[in-house]
Amino acid sequence: MYASRTPEQTLETHVCSGTRQLHYVFPPEPPPPPPTLRNHVVVRGQWLWSIARAELRARGRAAAPRAVRLAAGRIYAANRAAIGRNPNRLRPGTVLVIPTSL
């Protein structure tokens, strides 16, 4: 019994041990698009924890305390020059770059 092929498949012929074998092969998947950087403008009353939690939720990930802590650390590391030495003091209007690997 022969299986029907889809338009995306191609037929390849292999010779193994003197017998000819036909295989349907799918083409390789295209690479994913490059990640885009996201910016966030700090508004009054926000802190790194709240920004990290909102970003995780926007990406459909669980906002467990450990995940939020790690994400907040990554956001701070990516924006240390804009935030300054104290990550607990965010100035309204500061533009933060949100890393793609939260």
Side-chain angles (χ1 to χ4, degrees):
M1 176 181 212
Y2 293 100
S4 61
R5 74 178 184 94
T6 62
E8 301 87 31
Q9 292 176 318
T10 57
L11 188 62
E12 290 186 359
T13 304
H14 298 280
V15 177
C16 183
S17 301
T19 60
R20 193 175 114 195
Q21 299 176 351
L22 299 175
H23 299 280
Y24 288 114
V25 180
F26 285 100
E29 291 187 24
T36 58
L37 293 177
R38 293 179 56 171
N39 291 334
H40 178 84
V41 179
V42 177
V43 296
R44 186 175 180 201
Q46 286 186 323
W47 61 96
L48 284 178
W49 184 273
S50 65
I51 295 168
R53 184 178 58 215
E55 283 294 324
L56 288 174
R57 287 181 177 165
R59 296 175 187 204
R61 294 184 48 200
R66 182 173 188 272
V68 175
R69 182 174 49 84
L70 291 173
R74 289 185 181 127
I75 293 172
Y76 177 64
N79 296 282
R80 191 179 303 254
I83 295 173
R85 294 177 62 187
N86 187 353
N88 296 319
R89 296 194 56 163
L90 294 179
R91 293 179 303 279
T94 303
V95 179
L96 301 177
V97 176
I98 306 299
T100 56
S101 62
L102 280 185

